[in-house]
Amino acid sequence: MNTPANAHRPVVVVDFGAQYAQLIARRVREAHVYSEIVPCTAPLSTLLAKDPAAVILSGGPASVYADGAPDVDRGLFDAGVPVLGICYGFQAMTTALGGEVDRNDRSEYGATELAVARQDSTLLRDLPERLTVWMSHRDSVVRAPDGFAVTASTAHTPIAAYENRAGRLAGVQFHPEVLHTEHGQRILEHFLYDVAGLAPDWTAQGILAEQVAAVRAQVGDARVICALSGGVDSAVAAAIVHRAVGDQLTCVFVDHGLLRAGEREQVERDYVAATGIRLVTVDASRTFLDALAGVTEPERKRKIIGREFIRTFERAAAELVAEACSGSDGSGPVKFLVQGTLYPDVVESGGGTGTATIKSHHNVGGLPEDLDFELVEPLRTLFKDEVRLLGAELGLPPEIVSRHPFPGPGLGVRIIGEITAERLEILRAADAIVRAEMTAAGVDGQIWQCPVVLLADVRSVGVQGDSRTYGMPVVLRPVTSEDAMTADWARLPDTLLSRIANRITGEVDEITRVVLDVTSKPPGTIEWE
């Protein structure tokens, strides 16, 4: 992967297959310390080549004494690097250092009371003597390695935490990274600040300065293009590049006709006013609608939208390249393409090289891999919450920085049935009401997103005035999430839901029913298609 443009030595999170590995890395970042993730299969030489400031061993589903279970190279503890073991990482650390792990008589899952055994503990200092932590284990450490002091226990786990202050080593059986653990963030910060001796200097201002310098060094005097979607990732990525190289950047905004009410205007007016970016808007709405006529199958819709987006962007890019080649504006050649790749994308794709492949889930259906551009990825080392912080630091409008995720294919995946101009207008009207009411109620920051889905091929009897009607239902899908990998339905106030339903059925004649989706993910997805 691209080397991050910063002078920060990383805290390396070794992923043993835990569902919380990315969460650990995010919690470290929230403590203003830079972190990276490596798989447990990476050799020790690869890990140490990163010059880690500290190492955190994550949890995982295996048993340390099972055949083929991942282990920790003993050499890690001879390298002088501070190490924190969590759950499975705690047990693997124990085994590597000569302690003992065995099957517990009773498993511990969920909220568990922890008793702090030593008030002189560095990791658990200044915490209550008893606190609730989140456990998920059947195996337990039954004998700590030599030189380690046991610092906490539970009713069924005598060794729930230990530390070796001289060696700057510590471990916990519970999960400090999850919100269910009381004072979990303080525990992690005690490791980072007090055990590892790190400074909280990973800040938005520093990140921005580093990324701007990196882009400037990479691009030189060449020209750059960006497929701007209006979402926070592409908006922040483009703004960073513009801060670095100014008018060498041109953004292309493809209006495929599947946007929500006001989104094109928001990009053309508010975003351009805030950044001064040169923007080329391509109105291809008629082309997309013609291509989608008569199509109802969800995957076919997505492929058509992706195909048309690629064609539209390629035409716009070709025009910009031709303009540059003509020398009419005196600038250099178009050599670079901005992509809003985030760190979770890098981790989930196995690390990548950052030089050739354009991931298929970016933008709309993915840009073709044979576009002859080098990638510029200023967000490649960042999580979504850090991207939002950078957006605020760059002075982007709050409506863009705080924008809920919106799928690249737009409303095309929120109409169940054929996509038509009439149905798009109906859904836009309902969606605009939902967004306005949620903003007025102050709940935008409490949810991850709220898709509004039009069941266009379903008809439901209603009564409007003195007449019976036969209209369409819409589904509200408000969800809470941290990373969209899992989600739960949001418990919005009844009064808010009532206002939304009354306004939609009163103001959008074609809609006779408003329903609420209360399915979690899994088993349901966030979007319906």
Side-chain angles (χ1 to χ4, degrees), residues 264-384:
R264 174 171 171 171
E265 294 77 13
Q266 185 181 81
V267 172
E268 292 181 322
R269 182 189 63 235
D270 300 339
Y271 182 71
V272 171
T275 61
I277 282 176
R278 179 190 179 198
L279 179 68
V280 174
T281 299
V282 181
D283 188 343
S285 54
R286 188 71 262 166
T287 300
F288 278 78
L289 276 177
D290 289 345
L292 289 164
V295 179
T296 60
E297 200 275 317
E299 189 58 28
R300 191 173 167 216
K301 287 183 193 175
R302 285 181 176 270
K303 288 181 178 178
I304 290 171
I305 295 169
R307 180 195 70 206
E308 294 304 324
F309 181 88
I310 289 168
R311 290 175 176 172
T312 304
F313 183 80
E314 283 182 319
R315 286 192 293 269
E319 291 177 6
L320 291 172
V321 170
E323 176 186 299
C325 290
S326 70
S328 60
D329 62 356
S331 63
V334 181
K335 293 176 57 178
F336 296 95
L337 173 69
V338 180
Q339 185 169 326
T341 309
L342 302 188
Y343 190 53
D345 303 327
V346 176
V347 173
E348 290 163 11
S349 64
T353 62
T355 58
T357 301
I358 298 175
K359 290 170 65 65
S360 64
H361 62 273
H362 283 294
N363 300 307
V364 183
L367 298 176
E369 295 184 8
D370 59 355
L371 282 179
D372 191 20
F373 300 116
E374 183 178 340
L375 296 184
V376 178
E377 298 176 299
L379 310 181
R380 189 177 174 83
T381 62
L382 305 179
F383 288 97
K384 176 75 84 172

Side-chain angles (χ1 to χ4, degrees), residues 433-492:
I433 290 170
V434 173
R435 288 190 289 150
E437 288 294 339
M438 293 185 69
T439 299
V443 301
D444 287 340
Q446 300 172 24
I447 67 169
W448 178 262
Q449 65 187 109
C450 182
V452 181
V453 182
L454 180 67
L455 305 185
D457 287 345
V458 176
R459 290 295 182 272
S460 173
V461 174
V463 177
Q464 292 176 323
D466 295 325
S467 303
R468 288 169 64 83
T469 58
Y470 199 51
M472 292 175 277
V474 291
V475 179
L476 308 185
R477 176 71 167 134
V479 296
T480 58
S481 181
E482 284 199 332
D483 53 15
M485 299 299 291
T486 60
D488 194 14
W489 64 280
R491 277 65 168 176
L492 298 178

Side-chain angles (χ1 to χ4, degrees), residues 240-254:
I240 291 173
V241 174
H242 186 258
R243 177 73 64 90
V245 300
D247 289 343
Q248 292 168 233
L249 170 69
T250 300
C251 287
V252 177
F253 179 68
V254 176

